[in-house]
Amino acid sequence: PSSSSSAAAESAGGSDMAMPGRVDARSCDTVAQVRAKLIASSAASSRSEEETRLRGSPAFAVETAAWKADGEGCRSLAALEQLLGHFTPCADEARLSRLGIANGGCHLVFVPKRELMVEVQVHSGSEKLGVRQMRVPNITRLSDLSKMLVQDLRRKSLANFTPGEFASCRWSLVDCGTASPARPAASSGVSSGFSSGVKEVLAKVKRKSFGGGSPGPESPAKRRKLGPGDELDEEQFVGDLHADHPATSPNIPRQFLCPISYDVMQDPVVVSGSGNTYDRKSIERYFQTVHRDPVSNVELRRPSDRKLIPLNQLRSQIREAQLSHVDVRLAAYINGQRSFSSGDAPMAAYLGWCTSLLSKAK
């Protein structure tokens, strides 16, 4: 049977992509087919860029009623996770009829994947060892970033420091105006990890899988502003940190900017009739109504005068500059022993029980 469902690509994790709010879909359509329809319904001038952003993007199914009630303020990965009660995306081959949602009540949220450059100041105790740069997806959690950093340091040590097998990290923001951040307070150990784990389990029990009974996303006004030295929750997403605390933008060379849009050119081209350089998308849109050069005002009557010649070398230079740009600056404090997070609560409880038995035996 065929039914109409809505599918939307919402801005999450600092994404600035605007997509249509509804596409016609059938209950037998897969998530991948809905994504393809969403791309096809976008404007032709930006379709290539939006296809790049949506390719491989995780999709999450939400009941339409739940999204209407609480989805308006869902503008971060953490808020989306709170709304859903989980962060497990739908499989691309999953059909809408199999997502456990009533016909016509499907709302899909696509989170565009983006690679972010994270600059990490590595500390051991009070000593700053050096800096490491890591390129990771925006949906990476700090707990996963800790594992990546420890593995990277074990492969290639920093200042003759190699972390142990059970090393863990605590994270804080870096103030670009200071030499180094204040060291975050030490964690309270096993007992705090166990209590936080119990609270997390109880909170998740109250949530429904599709967000029907979950509270709305926490208002930004109610959230405490984080600053340098504040310890970050290891469950935070790198994309959310980039959205709230982006690294200072570097001085962009003027030749990288399009004279029409004043944005960094993604596909620089030169107009054969004038010799001036523009971003392809901007100049093509301009030539639809005007046949003069935007900068020199030279008349370009013949189609050959308006021919666009790609500048591959300049494009490579722009791409290299973008790849080396740092998106987020963090400080990692490496502990020699493993710390217990909320996900380790059962192990923490077991060790606490063993400790109590040993003390009684004495």
Side-chain angles (χ1 to χ4, degrees):
S2 176
S3 62
S4 175
S5 300
S6 67
E10 302 295 334
S11 297
S15 172
D16 57 355
M17 181 175 62
M19 295 291 290
R22 182 179 178 87
V23 293
D24 292 330
R26 298 173 299 174
S27 57
C28 60
D29 284 344
T30 64
V31 171
Q33 289 172 329
V34 174
R35 183 190 288 110
K37 289 183 178 182
L38 197 61
I39 295 172
S41 63
S42 61
S45 59
S46 59
R47 188 169 300 163
S48 176
E49 180 182 357
E50 288 164 356
E51 183 179 6
T52 301
R53 294 186 182 186
L54 271 181
R55 186 186 301 120
S57 59
F60 300 88
V62 193
E63 286 182 349
T64 301
W67 184 262
K68 288 181 178 179
D70 300 321
E72 183 65 27
C74 189
R75 288 296 179 267
S76 69
L77 298 172
L80 178 61
E81 182 181 34
Q82 184 181 11
L83 176 65
L84 296 171
H86 64 86
F87 201 76
T88 304
C90 304
D92 267 10
E93 60 273 14
R95 301 187 183 276
L96 300 186
S97 58
R98 299 288 185 178
L99 293 179
I101 302 176
N103 288 341
C106 178
H107 192 98
L108 288 180
V109 180
F110 289 91
V111 179
K113 269 190 176 181
R114 180 185 174 190
E115 294 288 319
L116 298 175
M117 177 64 77
V118 182
E119 184 179 273
V120 182
Q121 292 185 8
V122 183
H123 298 255
S124 177
S126 59
E127 180 185 1
K128 179 181 175 181
L129 302 176
V131 174
R132 279 287 165 87
Q133 290 187 341
M134 308 172 68
R135 183 166 291 277
V136 299
N138 58 337
I139 59 174
T140 303
R141 297 182 189 269
L142 288 182
S143 57
D144 297 322
L145 190 62
S146 296
K147 298 174 184 177
M148 296 177 189
L149 178 61
V150 169
Q151 291 175 359
D152 184 60
L153 291 174
R154 287 178 64 82
R155 285 194 301 266
K156 187 178 179 181
S157 62
L158 191 63
N160 296 323
F161 172 80
T162 302
E165 182 179 357
F166 298 106
S168 62
C169 302
R170 289 181 292 115
W171 297 90
S172 69
L173 296 168
V174 171
D175 186 359
C176 298
T178 60
S180 61
R183 183 180 179 183
S187 58
S188 55
V190 171
S191 59
S192 64
F194 175 70
S195 61
S196 62
V198 172
K199 291 178 182 178
E200 181 67 18
V201 170
L202 292 177
K204 287 185 177 180
V205 168
K206 297 178 182 179
R207 300 171 184 161
K208 292 184 179 180
S209 61
F210 290 103
S214 64
E218 188 178 0
S219 170
K222 295 181 181 179
R223 288 193 300 229
R224 182 175 65 89
K225 293 290 184 181
L226 292 171
D230 290 334
E231 184 170 358
L232 301 174
D233 188 342
E234 66 175 5
E235 294 303 308
Q236 284 188 272
F237 295 95
V238 173
D240 287 349
L241 291 173
H242 172 249
D244 294 336
H245 310 279
T248 304
S249 300
N251 293 325
I252 301 174
R254 190 172 182 179
Q255 64 268 26
F256 290 177
L257 302 178
C258 175
I260 299 176
S261 64
Y262 297 102
D263 292 329
V264 177
M265 293 183 288
Q266 302 301 319
D267 187 6
V269 294
V270 60
V271 179
S272 60
S274 66
N276 291 324
T277 301
Y278 305 95
D279 186 62
R280 180 183 295 276
K281 185 167 60 176
S282 298
I283 193 62
E284 285 180 343
R285 188 183 299 117
Y286 181 85
F287 280 159
Q288 290 175 0
T289 56
V290 182
H291 290 169
R292 288 182 175 273
D293 186 86
V295 173
S296 63
N297 203 31
V298 172
E299 191 172 9
L300 305 170
R301 292 183 179 181
R302 296 176 299 179
S304 59
D305 293 335
R306 300 190 298 274
K307 183 180 179 181
L308 305 179
I309 304 172
L311 297 175
N312 295 327
Q313 184 176 359
L314 179 58
R315 183 177 183 178
S316 299
Q317 293 174 353
I318 295 174
R319 178 63 176 166
E320 184 178 350
Q322 289 177 327
L323 289 175
S324 61
H325 168 61
V326 174
D327 297 297
V328 187
R329 286 186 171 88
L330 300 174
Y333 295 85
I334 300 181
N335 303 321
Q337 297 180 349
R338 183 179 180 181
S339 62
F340 291 100
S341 64
S342 58
D344 294 320
M347 178 62 72
Y350 174 74
L351 292 179
W353 177 73
C354 293
T355 304
S356 63
L357 287 181
L358 291 175
S359 61
K360 289 179 181 179
K362 291 180 179 179

